[in-house]
Amino acid sequence: MTIVGWLQISLLFLAVLVVIKPLGLHMARVFSGERNAFSTLFSPIERGLYAAAGVDPVKEQGWLAYTLSMLAFSLAGFVGLYAILRLQAWLPLNPQGFGNVPPGLAFNTAVSFVTNTNWQNYAGETTLSHFSQMMGLTVQNFVSAATGIAIALAIIRAFARSAASTVGNFWVDLTRATLYVLLPLSIVVALAFVAMGLPQTFDGAVNATTLEGARQTIALGPVASQEAIKQLGTNGGGFFNVNAAHPYENPTALSNYLNIFAMLSISAALLYTFGQLVGNCRQGWAFAAVTAFFLIAGVGVVYWAEAQGNTILSAVGLDPADGNMEGKEVRFGQAMTALYATVTTGLSNGGVNGMHGSLTGLGGLVPMFLMQLGEVLPGGVGSGLYGMIVFAILAVFVAGLMVGRTPELLGKKIEAREMKFAILAVLVLPLTVLGFSAVSAVTPSAVSSIGTGGPHGLSEILYAYTSAAGNNGSAFAGLTGNTPWYNTTLGIAMLLGRFAYAVPVLAIAGSIALKTRVAASKGTFPTDTPLFAGLLIGIILILGGLQFFPALALGPIIEHFAMLSGETF
């Protein structure tokens, strides 16, 4: 660990802090229907889309209609993307001549991108055509992110309104999130990436001659445009197999900085948007403080663990001065690899600039644990915010039990109905992750796919289902996921992680919206104070993390102590 490394990390967090308020205010204006910086350019397009789709932007929906619209749109996206992948060989923009994607892999990939997971059981540069990358994956990168924002807006309105029967219009929220937030930011970031050296071309490859005289084929494509929305929409799916460790996805230290900044910007700013829309900016900052605590603690542990290195390597005579550099890009070093790994798993991004499976036992534990906390730190665009609200509901319920008062959040009483849906939502992740991991650990065909035996092999399985159910998409990379078992079960885990969580959240929104909003009184437990932030941190750790501790003890924790004692498996 070095001062320079910590300075790099601190400057990145400072840059994100600077944009939270202006970007949050912009999104508050967009989703309130007010005029914004892009109204002149995009308002005619917005009206044209409503007219073409037969949507009345003034007519709002109750929570059930909003939910059904979201599910119908996601189903249509899955069918469309699956068809593109299965028909790839006969579609245009296929200069490499790639064949159709097999059914199992097409199912897994379609589910992955529709759910904003971007788990990839394939190498993009050797599997997918430019058409599949652009019209299939990149389109879903936009609309799956916009869907997450729309779900968050529904529950925000529920708290902002009093005795309301509607929570907004899904089609309006989806359109505005795409047109006024994701699209303009993606254009700016994509142009910046092109200036930094990322390819943006329809060429399939370029031939090069190495210094030794060998011929090499280097894959190309429309990389910069996909990379921009991959990060801004917390998608994470890379154009190339090694993701942001590839020099065409992430060529320099500056592009690496922009990658991490883009990942954090919208999700962090949505916390301020929440505070602005509910009329309590302090509440948004309280949520931001909770996410900052976990991210800073996470990057500190990963950076420390990787800087310490591996005692097993020291025992065989290797110099431990540089720590554990295996699986890391020397262009970025330990500090930026630790920051990237922490941010991408605190979010539901999943992009990587190093191999998580090459981290030390403790270094690999932190990214896995951050995902198991519920992807709320600050989580995916939209999904992290509504996940945080669910934990806040649980926190005020616990606070109410402690002080003997009716639980209340932002002037709305939290009662049995809301608690039932909140508990249902938080149970989705542990049931899915632990259930599928347990079955896979005793299924021969599943065990045969792991790359390493012992605790690390269990970690590979546990990480895969944690990433899938958390809609993250990163992997330990030692697991061979392109098999019938993993294509199917990881796909199911992704569906449950997205929709089995989102539906109870929207049900909570419908219930909360109907309640009358009451003014705070002397008996109200304040939820925008450091005391509540501390309670919320405790609830996230207890309900989000401790359920996984026994499984973690058998995987990365044992691996960490084995490394300290010099044992190998």
Side-chain angles (χ1 to χ4, degrees), residues 216-241:
Q216 185 177 13
T217 300
I218 304 173
L220 295 173
V223 181
S225 56
Q226 183 170 324
E227 186 75 9
I229 187 58
K230 153 193 164 180
Q231 304 295 38
L232 287 166
T234 61
N235 295 282
F239 192 95
F240 299 100
N241 186 37

PDB file of all heavy atoms in Angstrom, residues 216-241:
ATOM      1  N   GLN A 216      -0.696 -12.046 -36.585  1.00  0.00           N
ATOM      2  CA  GLN A 216      -1.675 -12.009 -35.507  1.00  0.00           C
ATOM      3  C   GLN A 216      -2.934 -11.300 -35.983  1.00  0.00           C
ATOM      4  O   GLN A 216      -2.857 -10.259 -36.648  1.00  0.00           O
ATOM      5  CB  GLN A 216      -1.097 -11.289 -34.290  1.00  0.00           C
ATOM      6  CG  GLN A 216      -2.004 -11.302 -33.062  1.00  0.00           C
ATOM      7  CD  GLN A 216      -1.342 -10.624 -31.872  1.00  0.00           C
ATOM      8  OE1 GLN A 216      -0.341  -9.945 -32.021  1.00  0.00           O
ATOM      9  NE2 GLN A 216      -1.919 -10.810 -30.710  1.00  0.00           N
ATOM     10  N   THR A 217      -4.091 -11.874 -35.659  1.00  0.00           N
ATOM     11  CA  THR A 217      -5.374 -11.248 -35.985  1.00  0.00           C
ATOM     12  C   THR A 217      -5.947 -10.612 -34.715  1.00  0.00           C
ATOM     13  O   THR A 217      -6.177 -11.311 -33.731  1.00  0.00           O
ATOM     14  CB  THR A 217      -6.364 -12.283 -36.546  1.00  0.00           C
ATOM     15  OG1 THR A 217      -5.812 -12.864 -37.734  1.00  0.00           O
ATOM     16  CG2 THR A 217      -7.692 -11.628 -36.882  1.00  0.00           C
ATOM     17  N   ILE A 218      -6.166  -9.309 -34.772  1.00  0.00           N
ATOM     18  CA  ILE A 218      -6.652  -8.564 -33.603  1.00  0.00           C
ATOM     19  C   ILE A 218      -8.092  -8.141 -33.852  1.00  0.00           C
ATOM     20  O   ILE A 218      -8.389  -7.429 -34.818  1.00  0.00           O
ATOM     21  CB  ILE A 218      -5.772  -7.329 -33.330  1.00  0.00           C
ATOM     22  CG1 ILE A 218      -4.310  -7.745 -33.160  1.00  0.00           C
ATOM     23  CG2 ILE A 218      -6.261  -6.583 -32.096  1.00  0.00           C
ATOM     24  CD1 ILE A 218      -3.353  -6.575 -33.056  1.00  0.00           C
ATOM     25  N   ALA A 219      -8.990  -8.595 -32.994  1.00  0.00           N
ATOM     26  CA  ALA A 219     -10.411  -8.297 -33.158  1.00  0.00           C
ATOM     27  C   ALA A 219     -10.682  -6.815 -32.950  1.00  0.00           C
ATOM     28  O   ALA A 219     -10.085  -6.166 -32.099  1.00  0.00           O
ATOM     29  CB  ALA A 219     -11.228  -9.127 -32.171  1.00  0.00           C
ATOM     30  N   LEU A 220     -11.618  -6.293 -33.755  1.00  0.00           N
ATOM     31  CA  LEU A 220     -12.072  -4.908 -33.649  1.00  0.00           C
ATOM     32  C   LEU A 220     -13.592  -4.874 -33.627  1.00  0.00           C
ATOM     33  O   LEU A 220     -14.244  -5.908 -33.723  1.00  0.00           O
ATOM     34  CB  LEU A 220     -11.551  -4.089 -34.833  1.00  0.00           C
ATOM     35  CG  LEU A 220     -10.042  -3.888 -34.967  1.00  0.00           C
ATOM     36  CD1 LEU A 220      -9.726  -3.199 -36.296  1.00  0.00           C
ATOM     37  CD2 LEU A 220      -9.517  -3.054 -33.813  1.00  0.00           C
ATOM     38  N   GLY A 221     -14.144  -3.675 -33.549  1.00  0.00           N
ATOM     39  CA  GLY A 221     -15.588  -3.529 -33.581  1.00  0.00           C
ATOM     40  C   GLY A 221     -16.016  -2.220 -32.956  1.00  0.00           C
ATOM     41  O   GLY A 221     -15.204  -1.382 -32.572  1.00  0.00           O
ATOM     42  N   PRO A 222     -17.317  -2.014 -32.826  1.00  0.00           N
ATOM     43  CA  PRO A 222     -17.849  -0.793 -32.199  1.00  0.00           C
ATOM     44  C   PRO A 222     -17.727  -0.884 -30.678  1.00  0.00           C
ATOM     45  O   PRO A 222     -18.710  -1.064 -29.954  1.00  0.00           O
ATOM     46  CB  PRO A 222     -19.303  -0.771 -32.664  1.00  0.00           C
ATOM     47  CG  PRO A 222     -19.650  -2.209 -32.865  1.00  0.00           C
ATOM     48  CD  PRO A 222     -18.390  -2.883 -33.341  1.00  0.00           C
ATOM     49  N   VAL A 223     -16.514  -0.753 -30.179  1.00  0.00           N
ATOM     50  CA  VAL A 223     -16.232  -0.998 -28.765  1.00  0.00           C
ATOM     51  C   VAL A 223     -16.620   0.188 -27.886  1.00  0.00           C
ATOM     52  O   VAL A 223     -17.253   0.027 -26.847  1.00  0.00           O
ATOM     53  CB  VAL A 223     -14.737  -1.344 -28.562  1.00  0.00           C
ATOM     54  CG1 VAL A 223     -14.450  -1.616 -27.089  1.00  0.00           C
ATOM     55  CG2 VAL A 223     -14.341  -2.538 -29.422  1.00  0.00           C
ATOM     56  N   ALA A 224     -16.222   1.400 -28.290  1.00  0.00           N
ATOM     57  CA  ALA A 224     -16.394   2.573 -27.420  1.00  0.00           C
ATOM     58  C   ALA A 224     -17.858   2.811 -27.057  1.00  0.00           C
ATOM     59  O   ALA A 224     -18.177   3.132 -25.909  1.00  0.00           O
ATOM     60  CB  ALA A 224     -15.810   3.811 -28.099  1.00  0.00           C
ATOM     61  N   SER A 225     -18.757   2.648 -28.021  1.00  0.00           N
ATOM     62  CA  SER A 225     -20.172   2.912 -27.757  1.00  0.00           C
ATOM     63  C   SER A 225     -20.753   1.910 -26.764  1.00  0.00           C
ATOM     64  O   SER A 225     -21.583   2.264 -25.913  1.00  0.00           O
ATOM     65  CB  SER A 225     -20.974   2.884 -29.062  1.00  0.00           C
ATOM     66  OG  SER A 225     -20.783   1.651 -29.745  1.00  0.00           O
ATOM     67  N   GLN A 226     -20.331   0.648 -26.875  1.00  0.00           N
ATOM     68  CA  GLN A 226     -20.816  -0.352 -25.929  1.00  0.00           C
ATOM     69  C   GLN A 226     -20.180  -0.161 -24.560  1.00  0.00           C
ATOM     70  O   GLN A 226     -20.832  -0.350 -23.528  1.00  0.00           O
ATOM     71  CB  GLN A 226     -20.524  -1.764 -26.440  1.00  0.00           C
ATOM     72  CG  GLN A 226     -21.074  -2.857 -25.510  1.00  0.00           C
ATOM     73  CD  GLN A 226     -21.010  -4.235 -26.133  1.00  0.00           C
ATOM     74  OE1 GLN A 226     -21.210  -4.394 -27.326  1.00  0.00           O
ATOM     75  NE2 GLN A 226     -20.732  -5.246 -25.323  1.00  0.00           N
ATOM     76  N   GLU A 227     -18.913   0.233 -24.544  1.00  0.00           N
ATOM     77  CA  GLU A 227     -18.219   0.427 -23.270  1.00  0.00           C
ATOM     78  C   GLU A 227     -18.855   1.553 -22.462  1.00  0.00           C
ATOM     79  O   GLU A 227     -18.957   1.476 -21.236  1.00  0.00           O
ATOM     80  CB  GLU A 227     -16.745   0.747 -23.541  1.00  0.00           C
ATOM     81  CG  GLU A 227     -15.882   0.819 -22.305  1.00  0.00           C
ATOM     82  CD  GLU A 227     -15.563  -0.537 -21.710  1.00  0.00           C
ATOM     83  OE1 GLU A 227     -15.874  -1.564 -22.354  1.00  0.00           O
ATOM     84  OE2 GLU A 227     -15.016  -0.568 -20.589  1.00  0.00           O
ATOM     85  N   ALA A 228     -19.310   2.609 -23.126  1.00  0.00           N
ATOM     86  CA  ALA A 228     -19.884   3.757 -22.424  1.00  0.00           C
ATOM     87  C   ALA A 228     -21.145   3.371 -21.657  1.00  0.00           C
ATOM     88  O   ALA A 228     -21.258   3.628 -20.458  1.00  0.00           O
ATOM     89  CB  ALA A 228     -20.177   4.876 -23.424  1.00  0.00           C
ATOM     90  N   ILE A 229     -22.093   2.729 -22.335  1.00  0.00           N
ATOM     91  CA  ILE A 229     -23.342   2.381 -21.643  1.00  0.00           C
ATOM     92  C   ILE A 229     -23.132   1.178 -20.726  1.00  0.00           C
ATOM     93  O   ILE A 229     -23.831   1.016 -19.722  1.00  0.00           O
ATOM     94  CB  ILE A 229     -24.480   2.105 -22.653  1.00  0.00           C
ATOM     95  CG1 ILE A 229     -25.819   1.908 -21.915  1.00  0.00           C
ATOM     96  CG2 ILE A 229     -24.153   0.910 -23.546  1.00  0.00           C
ATOM     97  CD1 ILE A 229     -26.240   3.066 -21.048  1.00  0.00           C
ATOM     98  N   LYS A 230     -22.133   0.361 -21.028  1.00  0.00           N
ATOM     99  CA  LYS A 230     -21.789  -0.740 -20.124  1.00  0.00           C
ATOM    100  C   LYS A 230     -21.491  -0.207 -18.734  1.00  0.00           C
ATOM    101  O   LYS A 230     -21.918  -0.788 -17.726  1.00  0.00           O
ATOM    102  CB  LYS A 230     -20.579  -1.494 -20.680  1.00  0.00           C
ATOM    103  CG  LYS A 230     -19.712  -2.213 -19.653  1.00  0.00           C
ATOM    104  CD  LYS A 230     -18.383  -2.649 -20.245  1.00  0.00           C
ATOM    105  CE  LYS A 230     -17.388  -2.994 -19.152  1.00  0.00           C
ATOM    106  NZ  LYS A 230     -16.074  -3.427 -19.703  1.00  0.00           N
ATOM    107  N   GLN A 231     -20.776   0.912 -18.654  1.00  0.00           N
ATOM    108  CA  GLN A 231     -20.396   1.457 -17.355  1.00  0.00           C
ATOM    109  C   GLN A 231     -21.487   2.372 -16.788  1.00  0.00           C
ATOM    110  O   GLN A 231     -21.837   2.269 -15.619  1.00  0.00           O
ATOM    111  CB  GLN A 231     -19.073   2.218 -17.467  1.00  0.00           C
ATOM    112  CG  GLN A 231     -17.925   1.391 -18.037  1.00  0.00           C
ATOM    113  CD  GLN A 231     -17.524   0.228 -17.136  1.00  0.00           C
ATOM    114  OE1 GLN A 231     -18.356  -0.420 -16.517  1.00  0.00           O
ATOM    115  NE2 GLN A 231     -16.244  -0.053 -17.057  1.00  0.00           N
ATOM    116  N   LEU A 232     -22.013   3.271 -17.589  1.00  0.00           N
ATOM    117  CA  LEU A 232     -23.024   4.215 -17.091  1.00  0.00           C
ATOM    118  C   LEU A 232     -24.287   3.494 -16.630  1.00  0.00           C
ATOM    119  O   LEU A 232     -24.926   3.904 -15.669  1.00  0.00           O
ATOM    120  CB  LEU A 232     -23.366   5.234 -18.183  1.00  0.00           C
ATOM    121  CG  LEU A 232     -22.286   6.287 -18.460  1.00  0.00           C
ATOM    122  CD1 LEU A 232     -22.583   7.006 -19.777  1.00  0.00           C
ATOM    123  CD2 LEU A 232     -22.198   7.291 -17.317  1.00  0.00           C
ATOM    124  N   GLY A 233     -24.646   2.410 -17.316  1.00  0.00           N
ATOM    125  CA  GLY A 233     -25.851   1.666 -16.955  1.00  0.00           C
ATOM    126  C   GLY A 233     -25.585   0.543 -15.978  1.00  0.00           C
ATOM    127  O   GLY A 233     -26.461  -0.289 -15.738  1.00  0.00           O
ATOM    128  N   THR A 234     -24.371   0.506 -15.402  1.00  0.00           N
ATOM    129  CA  THR A 234     -23.944  -0.573 -14.498  1.00  0.00           C
ATOM    130  C   THR A 234     -24.279  -1.945 -15.081  1.00  0.00           C
ATOM    131  O   THR A 234     -24.839  -2.803 -14.410  1.00  0.00           O
ATOM    132  CB  THR A 234     -24.536  -0.413 -13.081  1.00  0.00           C
ATOM    133  OG1 THR A 234     -25.963  -0.443 -13.121  1.00  0.00           O
ATOM    134  CG2 THR A 234     -24.072   0.876 -12.441  1.00  0.00           C
ATOM    135  N   ASN A 235     -23.955  -2.120 -16.352  1.00  0.00           N
ATOM    136  CA  ASN A 235     -24.188  -3.400 -17.016  1.00  0.00           C
ATOM    137  C   ASN A 235     -22.993  -4.330 -16.831  1.00  0.00           C
ATOM    138  O   ASN A 235     -23.101  -5.391 -16.248  1.00  0.00           O
ATOM    139  CB  ASN A 235     -24.443  -3.167 -18.509  1.00  0.00           C
ATOM    140  CG  ASN A 235     -25.713  -2.381 -18.765  1.00  0.00           C
ATOM    141  OD1 ASN A 235     -26.807  -2.914 -18.698  1.00  0.00           O
ATOM    142  ND2 ASN A 235     -25.569  -1.088 -19.057  1.00  0.00           N
ATOM    143  N   GLY A 236     -21.832  -3.939 -17.368  1.00  0.00           N
ATOM    144  CA  GLY A 236     -20.611  -4.685 -17.113  1.00  0.00           C
ATOM    145  C   GLY A 236     -20.160  -5.633 -18.191  1.00  0.00           C
ATOM    146  O   GLY A 236     -19.027  -6.098 -18.165  1.00  0.00           O
ATOM    147  N   GLY A 237     -21.021  -5.967 -19.156  1.00  0.00           N
ATOM    148  CA  GLY A 237     -20.640  -6.929 -20.182  1.00  0.00           C
ATOM    149  C   GLY A 237     -19.628  -6.358 -21.148  1.00  0.00           C
ATOM    150  O   GLY A 237     -19.849  -5.313 -21.759  1.00  0.00           O
ATOM    151  N   GLY A 238     -18.512  -7.027 -21.324  1.00  0.00           N
ATOM    152  CA  GLY A 238     -17.445  -6.517 -22.166  1.00  0.00           C
ATOM    153  C   GLY A 238     -17.570  -6.952 -23.611  1.00  0.00           C
ATOM    154  O   GLY A 238     -18.133  -7.997 -23.926  1.00  0.00           O
ATOM    155  N   PHE A 239     -17.036  -6.135 -24.514  1.00  0.00           N
ATOM    156  CA  PHE A 239     -16.972  -6.505 -25.927  1.00  0.00           C
ATOM    157  C   PHE A 239     -15.990  -7.655 -26.106  1.00  0.00           C
ATOM    158  O   PHE A 239     -16.176  -8.516 -26.957  1.00  0.00           O
ATOM    159  CB  PHE A 239     -16.537  -5.292 -26.752  1.00  0.00           C
ATOM    160  CG  PHE A 239     -16.699  -5.452 -28.237  1.00  0.00           C
ATOM    161  CD1 PHE A 239     -17.834  -4.980 -28.879  1.00  0.00           C
ATOM    162  CD2 PHE A 239     -15.729  -6.083 -28.998  1.00  0.00           C
ATOM    163  CE1 PHE A 239     -17.992  -5.138 -30.254  1.00  0.00           C
ATOM    164  CE2 PHE A 239     -15.872  -6.239 -30.371  1.00  0.00           C
ATOM    165  CZ  PHE A 239     -17.012  -5.762 -31.002  1.00  0.00           C
ATOM    166  N   PHE A 240     -14.934  -7.653 -25.280  1.00  0.00           N
ATOM    167  CA  PHE A 240     -13.908  -8.689 -25.352  1.00  0.00           C
ATOM    168  C   PHE A 240     -14.007  -9.609 -24.141  1.00  0.00           C
ATOM    169  O   PHE A 240     -14.561  -9.242 -23.105  1.00  0.00           O
ATOM    170  CB  PHE A 240     -12.516  -8.061 -25.415  1.00  0.00           C
ATOM    171  CG  PHE A 240     -12.296  -7.188 -26.620  1.00  0.00           C
ATOM    172  CD1 PHE A 240     -12.385  -5.808 -26.509  1.00  0.00           C
ATOM    173  CD2 PHE A 240     -12.019  -7.738 -27.857  1.00  0.00           C
ATOM    174  CE1 PHE A 240     -12.188  -4.993 -27.614  1.00  0.00           C
ATOM    175  CE2 PHE A 240     -11.818  -6.930 -28.968  1.00  0.00           C
ATOM    176  CZ  PHE A 240     -11.912  -5.555 -28.852  1.00  0.00           C
ATOM    177  N   ASN A 241     -13.400 -10.780 -24.262  1.00  0.00           N
ATOM    178  CA  ASN A 241     -13.524 -11.806 -23.240  1.00  0.00           C
ATOM    179  C   ASN A 241     -12.951 -11.367 -21.897  1.00  0.00           C
ATOM    180  O   ASN A 241     -13.515 -11.660 -20.847  1.00  0.00           O
ATOM    181  CB  ASN A 241     -12.823 -13.091 -23.710  1.00  0.00           C
ATOM    182  CG  ASN A 241     -13.039 -14.250 -22.757  1.00  0.00           C
ATOM    183  OD1 ASN A 241     -14.104 -14.396 -22.186  1.00  0.00           O
ATOM    184  ND2 ASN A 241     -12.038 -15.090 -22.599  1.00  0.00           N
TER     185      ASN A 241
END
